Structure formats: C-alpha cells, structure tokens
Amino acid sequence: MQDEDAGEDKFTGARRAMVEEQVRKRGIASPRVLEALLSVPRHEFVPAEFQADAYADKPLPIGEGQTISQPFMVGAMTEALELAGSDRVLEIGTGSGYQAAVLSGLAREVISVESHTSLALAAQERLVRLGYANVHVHNGDGSLGFADAAPYGAILITAAAPEIPPLLASQLCEGGRLVIPVGSQEDQELLQARKESGVLHSRVLFDCRFVPLLGRYGWTRPGRKSS
Ligand code: SAH
C-alpha cells in the first residue's frame, strides 16, 4: 500500500498530467481516488514496447488479446465503488494488475480473479514486486465470483458481461456496491449497483466498451453467450 506519488521517476510529470487532464478535469472529484492514481506507476503494468504510451489517454494491449483500461475508466470505476478504506474488494479481470494496485490503497484487502493463467501469474508477480501486499490474485473463472472470501463490500468487473452474474450479487454485502459493464460484446453501459434489503438497484453511469467476460456467466467465446 502506498499513499503518495510513486516516488520520483521519469514518468512523474506524465503521471501528474494524466491525473489532471484525463481524470480530474473530466469529473472525477474524489481526492482519494486521484491520489491513488498518482501513487501507482502505470508504466510498470504495460509491456516494455508500450511504456512510452503508458500515460496516454487510451487502453493498451497487455497480451492474450486483453487490454489495460484507459486511465479515465480506471478512475471512474474506482470512484463508483465508493470505497471507505475498510472494505474488502473483489475485482474480476486482473489483467495487468493495474486496477488492483489502484484499489490497494483504498481498501483493506483486494481479491482479484483472472482466467488467463499467464496474466494471473504475471500480475501476481508484479504486484508482489511493487509491494502491494494486500492484493491477492486467483486464477479461475471470475464470472462465478470468489465465494471463499465472500462477502465483499464492493465488487468490480473489468470485462463486459451480458448481465450481472447472479453469484456476484450474492457475494456482495448489504449496502455494498457493484460496478460492471453490461451489454453486448460490442457496446456496453457501465452500471453501478447497490445492494439494499438484499436486492440490487442499479443505475447507468455512461456508455463504454470492454473486452468480453468469458466463462459460466459470461460468453463462451467471442460472439456467443454461455448457456
Ligand atoms: N483490470 C485490468 C484490465 C482488465 S481487461 C487491468 O487493470 O489491467 C479484462 C480481463 O478480464 C482480461 O485480462 C481477461 O482475461 C479477464 N477475464 C475475462 N473473463 C474472465 C473471467 N470469467 N474470469 C476472470 N477474468 C476474466
């Protein structure tokens, strides 16, 4: 866990500009979220050949056909989780581990599930090396959630789902928040849902486009929904 700018490095200026221009000026106001984005060295989470673009206003390839989300999207999703600092958070879709690192400073513990074994192993190794000790990566189908450590104060799905996976709703605490892109494989809406009296109430934040959630409650493969 780190609570200030990630030391001085050659990307410090680019990181500050990213937070100011791409995130704060577009409406992400939470000081804690902005600080979390300032604290994480995003260039450590992208492949070497894309390092020069690490702070650019776009998603980048991370291998296996997957992407690290655009900085604004990470800021918006993080803010929508409304983390108080004491929550345990479940992330589905570890990818590079960047979003999990951003969550690390805002939560008590982050459990992140990734279905690609190579990505899960690389992200776990990276998060340990960079000192994010309260993040734990698991390799498996996150469309089932992660029952072993449930319930969670907040759940974030960073891949596009055809609907809110039912087991995720059951693994959320009363009063907990769930943030997820829902729609087709081409276009989705980012939803923020809150569990009240055992029922999820959701609202649309904005349109978005994510790589597909595969697995039992996602799509079997690009173009098809499971079951
Ligand atoms: N949050 C990531 C980016 C996520 S991209 C970051 O900060 O870098 C979406 C990720 O979801 C991909 O890595 C993809 O492999 C993963 N994914 C897709 N379906 C999944 C599933 N059923 N369970 C777990 N991970 C899944």
Side-chain angles (χ1 to χ4, degrees), residues 42 45 60 62-69 74 77 91-102 112-117 119-120 126 138-145 156-160 210-219:
R42 182 170 162 97
F45 292 83
L60 292 170
I62 55 170
E64 306 287 358
Q66 307 303 322
T67 56
I68 177 174
S69 302
V74 174
M77 292 190 296
E91 179 196 23
I92 307 304
T94 315
S96 67
Y98 176 69
Q99 172 76 68
V102 171
S112 187
V113 183
E114 169 58 52
S115 52
H116 269 104
T117 304
L119 293 177
R126 182 179 292 127
H138 295 275
N139 182 206
D141 178 7
S143 80
L144 304 166
L156 173 61
I157 297 86
T158 65
F210 281 77
V211 296
L213 179 77
L214 304 178
R216 175 66 182 86
Y217 293 103
W219 280 279

Side-chain angles (χ1 to χ4, degrees), residues 75-83 177-179 190 192 205:
M77 292 190 296
T78 304
E79 186 170 65
L81 291 172
E82 299 177 17
L83 298 175
R177 290 78 54 205
L178 181 145
V179 173
L190 190 68
Q192 183 206 42
L205 299 179

